[in-house]
Amino acid sequence: MFLFVYLVLLLVSGAQTGFYGVVYTYSFLDLQESGYFVINNEKLSFSSCEEYDLFVCSGNCSGQPVFTIDESRGEWCQKEFLFALPNASLTTFYTPAVYSNWTENRNGIELSAAEVRIELRNRSDIHKPNSSPRTNILPLVRVPSNCQRNINLLVSDPDGDEVRCRYAAGLECHTCTPPSVLTVSPACTLSFSPTNSSAEGPYAVQLTVEDFPRQSIILTNGSNSQEVITTSNSLSKIPVQFVFRVDPAAPSCTEGVYLPRFLPPTPENGAQIYTDVNQTVQINIRAEATQAVITELLFSGPLNVAKSSSGSGNFTLTWTPSAIDAELSHTFCFVVQANSSSSVYQSDLRCIFVTTRSNPTTPIPLTTTTATLTPSFTTTPPPNTTRQQTTTTTTLSSTIPNSTPNPGPYYVLALNAKISTTLSLKNNTEAILQQMKDELIRQGLPSDIILKLINSVELEVTIT
């Protein structure tokens, strides 16, 4: 019960009127020497950093596990509250949360509320509890009223589950009126179409993000009671809340004129960067706006990211992951902002994944006759049988150790894979399995491995 009590004590109603949203995620880590751990990340945003401190820490956050992420002075400040829960109970926690009064908005939402569901029962497919979906967004996203804009919320799931987005409902919000100017798809795309000036202003956006297993699984609690969860049942749910502002019309919606346009070497939206514990990552971002002056880069990401500028339109995000980030994929989101007269213009929201590996590794792209593969393997002595998530689309990605492994049996662990092939899974199963086996053997696995297709998304590899 520790987790439930802790959150309720933290998330009490505040008297301030400048709430700008929340993004909550949790990650269940593998067994450590002191037991299992659940890492909880709660990004909260208010109209100022002082308001955050007053709400969360009664005005003084020194000595607390609170870290400033970024701020846009005069608009918002985002900080993250991070804590680890040791020796987690194998149960399900529902944590209704009341935060504070929303900043003024057009859809009439005053008090912010959310509901988190933390699923910590043991899963039959991965043999450990669930981790929530991972995503991120800035506290304030803005667009001129005459410009089309799609916000593709970049989501991932550590367990390979399907992630779906929807507007919050019921206990997930105090007032559940969605913004009239935005539509949300289950695939987590928010769409804005040009509108008239009467719709201009800020809107409170309250989303719920859920993960669904790709096949029926069994959840077992600490008392060995079991429940079957199907693909229609969500495992966990997290709140994603922010402010969407419709600004006055821009003279032009063409990127690079008033609205900043990203230029190389800026990573593309959805790009994947791999790093290792204690290895520094630099994300270089460049943008231009010929009729406006670029003023700043705004971002949201993990704690301890440093932001710097080397001239107008040139920015760098620098981050060094620690041991607590091992095996986690963090979502970095950023925009570039520009001014022209009294108007503020924001680029598209761009988000990327940065995944931290626990051991030094290097991804190696590979190709075969009919399938494009970029595999990754780990040579650790696990049980004799492991399962790998696969789909019959695009690429297969992971890592291969730099050092030469010791002689002996090798095993493939938790390989998330996507495979693109011209062959039919229904009619050419044996041929596809043979190509996959050949590729695994080429990567160093024994020649007597046995591959069995469990279903369209799960492959079993047995090493004799």
Side-chain angles (χ1 to χ4, degrees), residues 24 29 62 75 193 205 220 224 331 341 460:
Y24 188 101
L29 303 186
S62 60
E75 285 189 319
S193 297
V205 181
T220 305
N224 289 323
T331 308
S341 299
E460 182 177 275

Side-chain angles (χ1 to χ4, degrees), residues 180-384:
S180 57
V181 295
L182 277 179
T183 60
V184 61
S185 73
C188 301
T189 296
L190 290 159
S191 299
F192 170 79
S193 297
T195 185
N196 55 47
S197 59
S198 63
E200 293 172 359
Y203 295 82
V205 181
Q206 303 173 110
L207 300 175
T208 294
V209 181
E210 300 171 292
D211 52 344
F212 294 78
R214 297 186 183 274
Q215 63 179 14
S216 294
I217 62 174
I218 298 174
L219 298 179
T220 305
N221 67 13
S223 302
N224 289 323
S225 296
Q226 296 185 330
E227 180 184 2
V228 176
I229 300 296
T230 71
T231 56
S232 300
N233 304 123
S234 65
L235 291 160
S236 63
K237 64 180 177 181
I238 58 171
V240 175
Q241 301 180 0
F242 65 100
V243 175
F244 181 78
R245 176 171 293 167
V246 180
D247 286 329
S252 170
C253 292
T254 302
E255 289 187 341
V257 182
Y258 290 90
L259 278 64
R261 176 181 65 177
F262 287 116
L263 301 172
T266 309
E268 294 295 328
N269 190 65
Q272 173 75 72
I273 296 175
Y274 291 93
T275 188
D276 300 309
V277 172
N278 298 324
Q279 177 180 313
T280 299
V281 173
Q282 283 194 338
I283 303 169
N284 296 312
I285 299 164
R286 184 173 170 234
E288 68 172 4
T290 59
Q291 301 301 313
V293 177
I294 291 178
T295 56
E296 60 183 334
L297 170 76
L298 301 172
F299 79 96
S300 181
L303 56 92
N304 296 328
V305 176
K307 178 174 66 174
S308 61
S309 175
S310 58
S312 179
N314 292 277
F315 304 94
T316 301
L317 296 176
T318 304
W319 181 58
T320 304
S322 63
I324 200 172
D325 301 298
E327 305 304 329
L328 294 181
S329 180
H330 289 285
T331 308
F332 287 65
C333 293
F334 52 87
V335 298
V336 168
Q337 203 154 274
N339 290 359
S340 178
S341 299
S342 59
S343 298
V344 179
Y345 301 105
Q346 205 174 79
S347 68
D348 271 335
L349 177 73
R350 188 164 287 193
C351 298
I352 64 172
F353 294 124
V354 178
T355 300
T356 304
R357 299 163 299 208
S358 57
N359 296 306
T361 52
T362 303
I364 302 177
L366 305 165
T367 57
T368 63
T369 305
T370 59
T372 301
L373 305 174
T374 315
S376 64
F377 308 99
T378 307
T379 57
T380 309
N384 284 340

Side-chain angles (χ1 to χ4, degrees), residues 143-195:
V143 62
S145 60
N146 59 325
C147 299
Q148 172 75 33
R149 178 69 57 86
N150 288 328
I151 303 169
N152 297 310
L153 199 63
L154 193 61
V155 295
S156 64
D157 190 272
D159 308 315
D161 299 322
E162 180 184 356
V163 180
R164 302 177 198 168
C165 295
R166 58 176 173 81
Y167 278 120
L171 296 178
E172 299 163 352
C173 38
H174 186 269
T175 302
C176 299
T177 307
S180 57
V181 295
L182 277 179
T183 60
V184 61
S185 73
C188 301
T189 296
L190 290 159
S191 299
F192 170 79
S193 297
T195 185

Side-chain angles (χ1 to χ4, degrees), residues 437-457:
K437 180 177 180 179
D438 292 344
E439 187 61 42
L440 292 172
I441 293 172
R442 196 175 79 83
Q443 291 301 318
L445 269 71
S447 59
D448 59 350
I449 58 173
I450 300 172
L451 274 63
K452 179 181 178 182
L453 194 64
I454 304 300
N455 53 51
S456 62
V457 296

Side-chain angles (χ1 to χ4, degrees), residues 11-24:
L11 306 179
V12 295
S13 177
Q16 301 299 315
T17 57
F19 183 69
Y20 268 75
V22 60
V23 178
Y24 188 101

